[in-house]
Amino acid sequence: DAILTDLVTPGAEFGTWDERLRRWADDFFTLVSEHRGLGPQLARNPKGTTALRLASLCVELLCEAGMTPAEAIRAQAPLRWYVMGEFADQLQNDRTARRFEVVPDIETAFPDLAELAVHLDALDQREVLLHGIDLFIAGFKAQIAAKQSDRATA
């Protein structure tokens, strides 16, 4: 938590709710990538002040986007797990490119995956994180729009 206290929560001056969420994730990436060993610790134990700060930020931004507090608290959990858990662990251990190496017969058992696995080496981890964040944001926007449409027709 001490290292992550430097992580600034982007305020309204940084743009819309989705721009602020994306910026926070990008800043998180930068900070974690500068401190080797932090990622696995976050992945094992995503609790404490940092996890609560991220949960609070997510709930605030999702409510700003149009979710109810109950919807936002449910929606923030998988997003927080993504950012602080698996992704942080991959970042620190550089496991992304070796994900499929644990299957010794991957080329015969899963030829489609084996063919795609060579592309993992070329992935930029910042781009992977931000692409995932963009997918979460797109899903959140779609859910909010559907709820607003349902309310308008009710």
Side-chain angles (χ1 to χ4, degrees), residues 28 32 36 38-44 82-96 99 125:
F28 176 86
V32 172
R36 287 291 187 213
L38 181 59
Q41 181 179 344
L42 288 173
R44 280 191 306 275
Y82 169 71
V83 173
M84 294 189 72
E86 179 65 17
F87 184 79
D89 190 37
Q90 286 181 20
L91 175 65
Q92 293 304 307
N93 290 318
D94 195 25
R95 292 185 334 170
T96 306
R99 182 174 297 272
Q125 290 179 320

Side-chain angles (χ1 to χ4, degrees), residues 130-144:
L130 294 178
H131 178 70
I133 294 297
D134 290 342
L135 292 174
F136 271 104
I137 288 170
F140 294 153
K141 285 181 176 181
Q143 183 182 30
I144 292 164

Side-chain angles (χ1 to χ4, degrees), residues 1 4-5 7 9 24 48-58:
D1 273 350
L4 293 175
T5 57
L7 195 57
T9 300
W24 188 94
T49 305
T50 302
L52 293 174
R53 189 179 315 121
L54 176 55
S56 177
L57 171 67
C58 290

Side-chain angles (χ1 to χ4, degrees), residues 25-91:
D26 195 28
D27 290 349
F28 176 86
F29 175 94
T30 300
L31 189 64
V32 172
S33 65
E34 292 171 353
H35 294 87
R36 287 291 187 213
L38 181 59
Q41 181 179 344
L42 288 173
R44 280 191 306 275
N45 191 21
K47 296 181 177 92
T49 305
T50 302
L52 293 174
R53 189 179 315 121
L54 176 55
S56 177
L57 171 67
C58 290
V59 168
E60 175 188 335
L61 294 177
L62 293 171
C63 285
E64 182 180 316
M67 286 188 181
T68 65
E71 293 166 339
I73 198 72
R74 284 192 308 270
Q76 65 78 35
L79 174 63
R80 185 170 48 86
W81 296 334
Y82 169 71
V83 173
M84 294 189 72
E86 179 65 17
F87 184 79
D89 190 37
Q90 286 181 20
L91 175 65

